[in-house]
Amino acid sequence: MTSFNRKSIKIISYSFYIVLLDQVTKFLVLNTLGFQRSQNIIPNLLNLTLVRNSGAAFSLLSNSTSLLTIISILASLLLITVILRFPPRSKWNLIGLAYLLGGTLGNGIDRLFKGYVLDFLDLVPINFPIFNVADISINIALICFTIDIIKTKDKSQLKY
């Protein structure tokens, strides 16, 4: 098995665990808390508040579930294609792809089977949208890609 195949399998495996964590946490919060209630987890910091999000990040494109479902499916297929056809350039790129695919699939599964995304993490001290594990994963991916770009840029500047 080539290192390319090992990297691809590693990315897809990590993504699977992210999707599993996302779906299990949504299931647990739905079954223990349900809608219309909020549970304080960390005083003055974090509540569990289950909401249906029919939009994208920050409730953009609300009530566009069909469009967002198609985008989720296409983005996931594109990411899988990239992972299988192009080896990651670096550790940060590998990690970023795993988190991005996991987050995209996690929210995409909700859209496809429920018609909305379940969000439940509510930061109390700031007026911030309620989010979920898939959303966190997508943001971690962006951080990893940013680190990858900075490190790649630093390496290219050292050559001159």
PDB file of all heavy atoms in Angstrom, residues 6-18:
ATOM      1  N   ARG A   6      -2.367   5.219   2.208  1.00  0.00           N
ATOM      2  CA  ARG A   6      -2.430   5.274   3.669  1.00  0.00           C
ATOM      3  C   ARG A   6      -2.929   6.633   4.136  1.00  0.00           C
ATOM      4  O   ARG A   6      -3.731   6.715   5.057  1.00  0.00           O
ATOM      5  CB  ARG A   6      -1.072   4.968   4.283  1.00  0.00           C
ATOM      6  CG  ARG A   6      -0.789   3.493   4.417  1.00  0.00           C
ATOM      7  CD  ARG A   6       0.392   3.265   5.321  1.00  0.00           C
ATOM      8  NE  ARG A   6       1.604   3.851   4.790  1.00  0.00           N
ATOM      9  CZ  ARG A   6       2.527   3.196   4.097  1.00  0.00           C
ATOM     10  NH1 ARG A   6       2.385   1.918   3.855  1.00  0.00           N
ATOM     11  NH2 ARG A   6       3.598   3.808   3.660  1.00  0.00           N
ATOM     12  N   LYS A   7      -2.438   7.696   3.509  1.00  0.00           N
ATOM     13  CA  LYS A   7      -2.891   9.039   3.883  1.00  0.00           C
ATOM     14  C   LYS A   7      -4.373   9.217   3.588  1.00  0.00           C
ATOM     15  O   LYS A   7      -5.103   9.782   4.386  1.00  0.00           O
ATOM     16  CB  LYS A   7      -2.075  10.115   3.155  1.00  0.00           C
ATOM     17  CG  LYS A   7      -0.686  10.297   3.695  1.00  0.00           C
ATOM     18  CD  LYS A   7       0.028  11.403   2.944  1.00  0.00           C
ATOM     19  CE  LYS A   7       1.436  11.589   3.449  1.00  0.00           C
ATOM     20  NZ  LYS A   7       2.128  12.653   2.717  1.00  0.00           N
ATOM     21  N   SER A   8      -4.808   8.738   2.448  1.00  0.00           N
ATOM     22  CA  SER A   8      -6.221   8.855   2.076  1.00  0.00           C
ATOM     23  C   SER A   8      -7.100   8.094   3.052  1.00  0.00           C
ATOM     24  O   SER A   8      -8.134   8.600   3.498  1.00  0.00           O
ATOM     25  CB  SER A   8      -6.453   8.331   0.659  1.00  0.00           C
ATOM     26  OG  SER A   8      -5.734   9.098  -0.273  1.00  0.00           O
ATOM     27  N   ILE A   9      -6.687   6.891   3.394  1.00  0.00           N
ATOM     28  CA  ILE A   9      -7.453   6.087   4.345  1.00  0.00           C
ATOM     29  C   ILE A   9      -7.453   6.745   5.717  1.00  0.00           C
ATOM     30  O   ILE A   9      -8.476   6.766   6.409  1.00  0.00           O
ATOM     31  CB  ILE A   9      -6.901   4.642   4.393  1.00  0.00           C
ATOM     32  CG1 ILE A   9      -7.220   3.931   3.072  1.00  0.00           C
ATOM     33  CG2 ILE A   9      -7.465   3.872   5.576  1.00  0.00           C
ATOM     34  CD1 ILE A   9      -6.528   2.615   2.877  1.00  0.00           C
ATOM     35  N   LYS A  10      -6.316   7.305   6.104  1.00  0.00           N
ATOM     36  CA  LYS A  10      -6.214   7.986   7.398  1.00  0.00           C
ATOM     37  C   LYS A  10      -7.172   9.182   7.446  1.00  0.00           C
ATOM     38  O   LYS A  10      -7.909   9.359   8.421  1.00  0.00           O
ATOM     39  CB  LYS A  10      -4.779   8.468   7.627  1.00  0.00           C
ATOM     40  CG  LYS A  10      -4.532   9.043   9.005  1.00  0.00           C
ATOM     41  CD  LYS A  10      -3.112   9.553   9.158  1.00  0.00           C
ATOM     42  CE  LYS A  10      -2.148   8.406   9.305  1.00  0.00           C
ATOM     43  NZ  LYS A  10      -0.783   8.850   9.686  1.00  0.00           N
ATOM     44  N   ILE A  11      -7.215   9.988   6.395  1.00  0.00           N
ATOM     45  CA  ILE A  11      -8.105  11.154   6.344  1.00  0.00           C
ATOM     46  C   ILE A  11      -9.560  10.714   6.431  1.00  0.00           C
ATOM     47  O   ILE A  11     -10.342  11.264   7.208  1.00  0.00           O
ATOM     48  CB  ILE A  11      -7.867  11.974   5.052  1.00  0.00           C
ATOM     49  CG1 ILE A  11      -6.486  12.612   5.069  1.00  0.00           C
ATOM     50  CG2 ILE A  11      -8.942  13.055   4.892  1.00  0.00           C
ATOM     51  CD1 ILE A  11      -6.077  13.199   3.729  1.00  0.00           C
ATOM     52  N   ILE A  12      -9.928   9.737   5.633  1.00  0.00           N
ATOM     53  CA  ILE A  12     -11.319   9.278   5.610  1.00  0.00           C
ATOM     54  C   ILE A  12     -11.691   8.636   6.948  1.00  0.00           C
ATOM     55  O   ILE A  12     -12.804   8.822   7.443  1.00  0.00           O
ATOM     56  CB  ILE A  12     -11.568   8.359   4.402  1.00  0.00           C
ATOM     57  CG1 ILE A  12     -11.477   9.208   3.112  1.00  0.00           C
ATOM     58  CG2 ILE A  12     -12.915   7.664   4.496  1.00  0.00           C
ATOM     59  CD1 ILE A  12     -11.471   8.444   1.826  1.00  0.00           C
ATOM     60  N   SER A  13     -10.756   7.919   7.566  1.00  0.00           N
ATOM     61  CA  SER A  13     -11.019   7.330   8.888  1.00  0.00           C
ATOM     62  C   SER A  13     -11.245   8.411   9.931  1.00  0.00           C
ATOM     63  O   SER A  13     -12.188   8.334  10.721  1.00  0.00           O
ATOM     64  CB  SER A  13      -9.847   6.444   9.322  1.00  0.00           C
ATOM     65  OG  SER A  13      -9.702   5.356   8.455  1.00  0.00           O
ATOM     66  N   TYR A  14     -10.381   9.409   9.968  1.00  0.00           N
ATOM     67  CA  TYR A  14     -10.558  10.522  10.905  1.00  0.00           C
ATOM     68  C   TYR A  14     -11.902  11.202  10.668  1.00  0.00           C
ATOM     69  O   TYR A  14     -12.610  11.550  11.608  1.00  0.00           O
ATOM     70  CB  TYR A  14      -9.440  11.548  10.779  1.00  0.00           C
ATOM     71  CG  TYR A  14      -8.083  11.110  11.285  1.00  0.00           C
ATOM     72  CD1 TYR A  14      -6.935  11.757  10.869  1.00  0.00           C
ATOM     73  CD2 TYR A  14      -7.933  10.050  12.179  1.00  0.00           C
ATOM     74  CE1 TYR A  14      -5.679  11.377  11.327  1.00  0.00           C
ATOM     75  CE2 TYR A  14      -6.689   9.653  12.635  1.00  0.00           C
ATOM     76  CZ  TYR A  14      -5.567  10.325  12.209  1.00  0.00           C
ATOM     77  OH  TYR A  14      -4.331   9.942  12.670  1.00  0.00           O
ATOM     78  N   SER A  15     -12.240  11.397   9.405  1.00  0.00           N
ATOM     79  CA  SER A  15     -13.516  12.036   9.063  1.00  0.00           C
ATOM     80  C   SER A  15     -14.690  11.225   9.584  1.00  0.00           C
ATOM     81  O   SER A  15     -15.663  11.780  10.098  1.00  0.00           O
ATOM     82  CB  SER A  15     -13.644  12.206   7.547  1.00  0.00           C
ATOM     83  OG  SER A  15     -12.640  13.059   7.057  1.00  0.00           O
ATOM     84  N   PHE A  16     -14.594   9.903   9.461  1.00  0.00           N
ATOM     85  CA  PHE A  16     -15.645   9.020   9.962  1.00  0.00           C
ATOM     86  C   PHE A  16     -15.843   9.210  11.461  1.00  0.00           C
ATOM     87  O   PHE A  16     -16.969   9.286  11.949  1.00  0.00           O
ATOM     88  CB  PHE A  16     -15.309   7.560   9.645  1.00  0.00           C
ATOM     89  CG  PHE A  16     -16.237   6.584  10.296  1.00  0.00           C
ATOM     90  CD1 PHE A  16     -17.510   6.362   9.783  1.00  0.00           C
ATOM     91  CD2 PHE A  16     -15.856   5.893  11.435  1.00  0.00           C
ATOM     92  CE1 PHE A  16     -18.385   5.463  10.395  1.00  0.00           C
ATOM     93  CE2 PHE A  16     -16.715   4.999  12.054  1.00  0.00           C
ATOM     94  CZ  PHE A  16     -17.982   4.789  11.528  1.00  0.00           C
ATOM     95  N   TYR A  17     -14.745   9.299  12.206  1.00  0.00           N
ATOM     96  CA  TYR A  17     -14.848   9.492  13.662  1.00  0.00           C
ATOM     97  C   TYR A  17     -15.452  10.850  14.008  1.00  0.00           C
ATOM     98  O   TYR A  17     -16.204  10.972  14.973  1.00  0.00           O
ATOM     99  CB  TYR A  17     -13.491   9.305  14.336  1.00  0.00           C
ATOM    100  CG  TYR A  17     -13.021   7.875  14.298  1.00  0.00           C
ATOM    101  CD1 TYR A  17     -11.849   7.527  13.646  1.00  0.00           C
ATOM    102  CD2 TYR A  17     -13.768   6.854  14.888  1.00  0.00           C
ATOM    103  CE1 TYR A  17     -11.427   6.206  13.595  1.00  0.00           C
ATOM    104  CE2 TYR A  17     -13.357   5.531  14.843  1.00  0.00           C
ATOM    105  CZ  TYR A  17     -12.183   5.219  14.188  1.00  0.00           C
ATOM    106  OH  TYR A  17     -11.777   3.906  14.141  1.00  0.00           O
ATOM    107  N   ILE A  18     -15.144  11.849  13.217  1.00  0.00           N
ATOM    108  CA  ILE A  18     -15.725  13.180  13.434  1.00  0.00           C
ATOM    109  C   ILE A  18     -17.232  13.133  13.185  1.00  0.00           C
ATOM    110  O   ILE A  18     -18.022  13.664  13.970  1.00  0.00           O
ATOM    111  CB  ILE A  18     -15.033  14.226  12.541  1.00  0.00           C
ATOM    112  CG1 ILE A  18     -13.583  14.419  13.008  1.00  0.00           C
ATOM    113  CG2 ILE A  18     -15.797  15.554  12.543  1.00  0.00           C
ATOM    114  CD1 ILE A  18     -12.696  15.138  12.016  1.00  0.00           C
TER     115      ILE A  18
END
